Amino acid sequence: MKKPDPRVIFALVFATSTFAILIRENLAQMAGLFALVLACAALLRVPLKQLFGRLKRLLQILLFVAILRSFFTPSGLVLLAAWGLPLLTTGGLSMGILVALRLLVFIVGASIFTIYPTRALIQAMVQLRLPYEIAYMVSIGIRFVPQMAQELRDSLIALQLRGIVIEELKLKKRISLYSYLLLPTIVGGLRHAKELAMSMEMRAFRAKPSRTSFFSLKLSSKDVILLILIAVAAIAGGFIL
Amino acid sequence: MKALEIKNLTIDYGKGAVLRDFSLEVAAGCAMQIQGPSGCGKSTLLHAICGLIPSPIQAEISGEILLFGRPVGQLSVAERAQKIGIVFQNPETQLFCDTVEDEIAFGLENICMPVEQMGARIAEMLALVGLEEFRHSSPKELSGGQKQRLVLAAVLALDPQILLLDEALSQLDEGGKMAMLRHLEALAGQGKTILAVDHDELGGKLWEKILEIS
């Protein structure tokens, strides 16, 4: 299947994220929205298994948030109580799941962008009238995340090669070790960013208020239909809410 | 004609002057090499010539730097990019596009070159550095030497009159270094002004002057 124009995905993610914010209490609506985003991601061949594998830690945090939220929203039937105080209620549990699903809508929605090359995303942002400086800043910033993660992993491997078994360290020592490792990674990242900025400036970046583009995006008739469908769905969703 | 004129240049990062009262003249079309140990101010000199000091690199600077008779500080970003091109030591910090073609197009887009002319210019630059077959590849797939040649092509796409090399050959293996030197010799033959700084002698037949600073 040919990938839709990235602007279609921008519209889809904008619409679904807006609805994820607007749905405040209805768990069924949020579940439906999440199912829709998940289906779109699967249809566009986003490697979901890989995504959820990478997000294992984040999913644990989401579960924790959901449980925490459920304790602070006492409504409905009491499921768990202590000393006569309701700890876990059906209303609280539903609210906790809703919060977790909301975050998953954002995450899975954003993951759809990963199927596009950076240049296509920059061009989409530029053609959506976003200043090109910001479009480049965003895309290059995103590129730095995996690079810095790799540098951190390399530092960890270097430590392990010197005989330090991180898993065996006590939490306090482990935290201080990570803080030692983070500093050179951040300094390295900043140095890299500075050199890249100099290199870009010497290649006339920001020389003029606008720039020509060797690569450009064109909406196909299929893209237009998809955009209309998203708009109709968004309007219908607005009425339902 | 003087391509570059530096008069009494002093640069201080706040821990004592890195360069003091440095003066230099480079004739147009000359290929010059500046050698010196680490920390002697070679890179600082190139950054100053590029107009990157005092902003974005913060340092106290005094003296005068003229490019073809015009103070570097008075040049706009576009004018400066078309007068000077610089290749830094590490190609990884200079490449950020998805494809080799995009990397060369980046500078051309910035100076608003019409799209119809860009294709031919990109092809010309790729032929110049012998990377035609990699036009649609990712820069990540290239070897270290090929990456540095791509940076050279991306810089030369803007047709700068002066080419600066900041230890640009130091990370390359012998093969990569020889290939780069061949391209630089061809550029010197075309009348480009080339100024290279490095720890050691770079080799090659193009250098008309070798200056040592300590």
Side-chain angles (χ1 to χ4, degrees):
Chain A
M1 192 179 92
K2 191 179 169 279
K3 281 186 265 183
D5 187 289
R7 285 169 291 178
V8 175
I9 305 304
F10 271 104
L12 175 77
V13 173
F14 179 72
T16 53
S17 302
T18 306
F19 277 107
I21 294 166
L22 291 177
I23 298 169
R24 305 211 59 90
E25 285 174 352
N26 195 324
L27 182 61
Q29 283 177 352
M30 188 62 88
L33 185 67
F34 175 61
L36 176 75
V37 176
L38 205 61
C40 289
L43 212 64
L44 290 163
R45 301 208 178 131
V46 175
L48 289 169
K49 204 173 163 187
Q50 207 179 329
L51 174 76
F52 287 117
R54 270 194 210 157
L55 294 175
K56 219 180 269 175
R57 291 259 164 82
L58 189 72
L59 291 175
Q60 285 169 359
I61 295 169
L62 280 184
L63 189 68
F64 176 71
V65 169
I67 293 168
L68 201 69
R69 186 68 203 249
S70 67
F71 279 111
F72 286 101
T73 318
S75 66
L77 288 172
V78 177
L79 297 172
L80 187 69
W83 300 287
L85 286 170
L87 285 182
L88 187 62
T89 62
T90 50
L93 195 63
S94 145
M95 190 51 77
I97 296 170
L98 190 130
V99 169
L101 284 177
R102 179 179 291 143
L103 293 173
L104 282 172
V105 168
F106 297 145
I107 293 165
V108 176
S111 75
I112 301 176
F113 290 119
T114 59
I115 63 168
Y116 292 95
T118 319
R119 186 69 182 92
L121 294 176
I122 291 175
Q123 195 57 30
M125 286 189 261
V126 170
Q127 288 184 228
L128 284 168
R129 308 258 176 245
L130 195 76
Y132 73 87
E133 295 94 331
I134 295 177
Y136 269 96
M137 206 164 71
V138 170
S139 66
I140 290 174
I142 292 168
R143 257 170 186 240
F144 266 71
V145 177
Q147 198 172 333
M148 286 179 80
Q150 183 58 48
E151 277 176 31
L152 190 64
R153 269 197 296 272
D154 290 347
S155 305
L156 281 170
I157 290 168
L159 270 182
Q160 283 167 343
L161 287 173
R162 287 178 201 174
I164 297 169
V165 184
I166 295 162
E167 288 77 20
E168 286 177 8
L169 293 175
K170 285 183 181 166
L171 187 66
K172 199 178 162 188
K173 271 202 165 178
R174 214 191 281 189
I175 290 169
S176 68
L177 184 76
Y178 277 115
S179 66
Y180 277 125
L181 290 178
L182 271 175
L183 192 68
T185 307
I186 292 169
V187 170
L190 288 174
R191 192 175 296 145
H192 189 150
K194 190 175 149 189
E195 279 184 29
L196 181 59
M198 288 196 298
S199 173
M200 287 172 82
E201 191 172 321
M202 291 310 295
R203 278 153 73 186
F205 188 60
R206 295 192 308 156
K208 297 188 178 178
S210 64
R211 61 202 292 272
T212 49
S213 180
F214 186 59
F215 173 81
S216 69
L217 295 167
K218 282 190 185 87
L219 285 172
S220 66
S221 51
K222 203 175 83 183
D223 293 323
V224 175
I225 293 168
L226 283 172
L227 279 172
I228 293 169
L229 276 176
I230 291 167
V232 170
I235 293 165
F239 276 114
I240 294 168
L241 284 183
Chain B
M1 190 185 181
K2 288 170 197 159
L4 172 68
E5 214 178 336
I6 300 173
K7 293 176 190 169
N8 309 106
L9 183 70
T10 299
I11 298 172
D12 189 342
Y13 288 112
K15 294 174 188 167
V18 179
L19 283 172
R20 196 188 300 273
D21 262 338
F22 184 87
S23 296
L24 178 74
E25 281 181 10
V26 182
C30 173
M32 182 188 270
Q33 196 189 128
I34 299 178
Q35 282 177 37
S38 294
C40 72
K42 303 184 300 287
S43 295
T44 299
L45 174 67
L46 294 196
H47 292 157
I49 295 170
C50 291
L52 297 169
I53 298 175
S55 175
I57 300 172
Q58 291 176 353
E60 276 184 37
I61 182 166
S62 64
E64 207 174 10
I65 300 172
L66 303 171
L67 293 175
F68 295 95
R70 282 184 68 192
V72 69
Q74 284 179 13
L75 300 172
S76 68
V77 174
E79 282 176 319
R80 199 173 58 189
Q82 287 172 292
K83 282 216 185 319
I84 334 167
I86 183 163
V87 180
F88 294 105
Q89 185 178 18
N90 185 0
E92 302 291 344
T93 59
Q94 300 165 82
L95 301 172
F96 54 91
C97 295
D98 291 325
T99 63
V100 165
E101 178 182 70
D102 281 345
E103 205 63 64
I104 298 174
F106 177 76
L108 303 175
E109 291 171 332
N110 289 333
I111 56 163
C112 292
M113 178 181 268
V115 178
E116 310 80 60
Q117 294 172 23
M118 260 187 232
R121 184 82 182 136
I122 293 167
E124 190 190 335
M125 287 302 109
L126 287 173
L128 184 77
V129 296
L131 292 176
E132 300 102 314
E133 59 189 300
F134 299 102
R135 184 167 180 151
H136 302 288
S137 309
S138 163
K140 285 178 194 158
E141 292 165 20
L142 305 180
S143 70
Q146 287 169 332
K147 280 180 186 170
Q148 199 63 309
R149 270 150 59 198
L150 173 59
V151 175
L152 182 67
V155 167
L156 290 174
L158 294 169
D159 197 21
Q161 290 158 297
I162 304 173
L163 178 66
L164 306 178
L165 303 164
D166 186 3
E167 299 188 28
L169 279 65
S170 65
Q171 286 192 357
L172 306 183
D173 58 21
E174 207 49 41
K177 204 170 170 178
M178 292 314 288
M180 272 290 273
L181 279 170
R182 271 199 307 275
H183 296 305
L184 292 175
E185 277 166 15
L187 289 169
Q190 289 166 18
K192 280 261 187 264
T193 309
I194 303 173
L195 183 62
V197 302
D198 219 298
H199 312 103
D200 307 309
E201 205 178 317
L202 289 169
K205 297 168 195 158
L206 70 154
W207 311 111
E208 293 166 39
K209 283 181 184 172
I210 298 178
L211 185 75
E212 269 190 55
I213 57 173
S214 55

